[in-house]
């Protein structure tokens, strides 16, 4: 089904959203590597999550079979996405919800802004959501005079700190507790000036502020981890219970969901609700799993809107070698095992999707030319593939995307010359002899001279042997 796509497969538009950074990955990574506090925070957090996750995964004898099942379900979803989305729309509508289709970030932001305006509210509470970060919904709401309040603790820290998330699951992973205390003292309304950096004290301050906001806000915006085509049920998994407050207390609930999140049947959840908590937070079971189907009179929000977001996903779907990036369940296991992410942190990737999955998803959503450095933000060690609960082969996809990146003319000429030499044994033998000159031109650790110096700026020059294999063989 290589031709499956939902319409003209357009990439995410420029000038809106958070899928493109201001710097290339090497430039931003260079700045991040100079921040030793950031590296300490990241090492501590990723090592802790990795250890916890590894222990609970080892308890399951059928973990590999679960990964196979998760991968197979997602591949099935991608092969018949239009049909499943239409079934979802029908079920949600039957259950009293309203479905909106958003081709891109601009459309999604306009739809949500209009829906909030129609309620008369000037404030919304938000459940942690990557999709709304992707389209920069908070910025669009603020421009329309509507105040969005993040209710996930880490997202709240990021919002109050006027910062950007740096991890899918732990958006404030780059902050330690004394930095969080300073942010609360500076930006949290009504905070006690005697606040300490003791974690329970910080959590209590956030709880006090958020409880007041929950009880006085009538509109909530959420994302969704899953949507069941068979029943029209939406699901959010979270750890704090703040999400459940948003999903149950307000009069109006607006959910923005990427089109790839749909699952065919209720039974499919059995697989993902085992995979996700163990791979992400290292828990056996997710602490708060909230499911809802349309509206129920007298119980929960009485107005429910589902915004189905494309924003480049059809373009990803149209590439058979890249589409499995849409299988991602945002567990962040690939970030936690990645040696590159652990040293640079998430901001270096420029997009809201950092780490190995960001390196393959962001360039596909935006078009490779707009995120050309990301497919190189990897050592191709393969740790992400081993860790991924839905078996996304990120390393192969990175290589596939590197081939699509526009390469400079000098590099293309050098590669064409190398291919010609390797195709002709005599030329190859001569080139090997000439390569001995490189022992003089550039020694190990010193790099090649210009114009070839760029090649050795980020890698060691291999030491050429004194004698080639052919010469050695000829002697014998
Ligand atoms: S690519 Fe796999 S490991 Fe990485 S966040 Fe997605 S599901 Fe998790």
């Amino acid at each position: 089904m290589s031709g499956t796509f939902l319409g003209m497969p357009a990439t995410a538009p420029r000038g809106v959203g958070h899928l493109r950074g201001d710097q290339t990955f090497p430039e931003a990574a260079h700045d991040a590597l100079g921040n030793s506090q950031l590296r300490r925070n990241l090492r501590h957090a990723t090592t802790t999550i990795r250890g916890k996750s590894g222990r609970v995964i080892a308890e399951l004898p059928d973990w590999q079979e679960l990964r196979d099942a998760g991968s197979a379900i997602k591949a099935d979803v991608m092969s018949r996405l239009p049909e499943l989305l239409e079934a979802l729309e029908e079920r949600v509508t039957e259950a009293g919800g309203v479905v909106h289709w958003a081709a891109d970030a601009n459309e999604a932001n306009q739809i949500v802004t209009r829906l909030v305006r129609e309620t008369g509210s000037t404030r919304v509470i938000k459940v942690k959501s990557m999709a709304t970060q992707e389209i920069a919904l908070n910025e669009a709401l603020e421009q329309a005079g509507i105040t969005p309040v993040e209710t996930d603790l880490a997202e709240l820290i990021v919002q109050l700190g006027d910062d950007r998330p740096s991890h899918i699951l732990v958006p404030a992973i780059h902050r330690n507790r004394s930095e969080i205390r300073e942010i609360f003292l500076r930006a949290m309304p009504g905070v006690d000036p005697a606040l300490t950096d003791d974690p329970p004290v910080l959590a209590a301050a956030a709880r006090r502020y958020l409880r007041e906001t929950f009880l006085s806000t009538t509109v909530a915006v959420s994302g969704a981890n899953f949507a069941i085509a068979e029943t029209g049920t939406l699901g959010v998994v979270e750890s704090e219970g703040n999400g459940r407050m948003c999903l149950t207390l307000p009069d109006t609930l607006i959910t923005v969901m990427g089109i790839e999140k749909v699952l065919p049947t209720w039974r499919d959840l059995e697989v993902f609700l085992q995979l996700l908590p163990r791979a992400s937070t290292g828990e056996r079971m997710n602490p708060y799993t909230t499911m809802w189907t349309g509206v129920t009179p007298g119980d929960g929000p009485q107005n429910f809107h589902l915004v189905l977001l494309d924003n480049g996903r059809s373009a990803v779907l149209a590439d058979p070698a890249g589409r499995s990036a849409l299988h991602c369940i945002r567990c962040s296991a690939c970030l936690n095992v990645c040696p590159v992410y652990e040293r640079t942190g998430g901001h270096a990737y420029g997009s809201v999707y950092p780490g190995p999955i960001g390196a393959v998803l962001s360039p596909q959503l935006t078009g490779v030319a707009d995120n050309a450095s990301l497919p190189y933000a990897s050592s191709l060690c393969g740790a992400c593939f081993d860790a991924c609960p839905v078996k996304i082969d990120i390393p192969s996809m990175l290589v596939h995307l590197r081939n699509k990146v526009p390469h400079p003319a000098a590099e293309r000429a050098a590669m064409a010359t190398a291919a010609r030499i390797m195709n002709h044994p005599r030329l190859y033998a001569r080139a090997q002899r000439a390569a001995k000159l490189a022992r003089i031109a550039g020694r190990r650790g010193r790099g090649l001279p210009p114009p070839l110096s760029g090649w050795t700026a980020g890698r060691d020059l291999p030491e050429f042997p004194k004698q080639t294999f052919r010469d050695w063989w000829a002697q014998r």
Side-chain angles (χ1 to χ4, degrees), residues 17 19 25 27 40 48 76 134 151 175 284 322 350 444:
L19 287 172
F25 181 81
E27 289 162 355
R40 263 196 302 279
T48 309
D76 172 47
E134 174 189 322
T151 64
R175 296 289 193 192
R284 295 185 181 90
R444 191 177 172 82

Side-chain angles (χ1 to χ4, degrees), residues 168 327-335 357 384 387-390 392 394:
I168 292 176
H327 295 188
C328 177
I329 56 173
R330 310 279 188 264
C331 72
S332 71
C334 58
L335 278 65
I357 184 60
C384 48
C388 178
V390 287
I392 301 174
I394 294 175

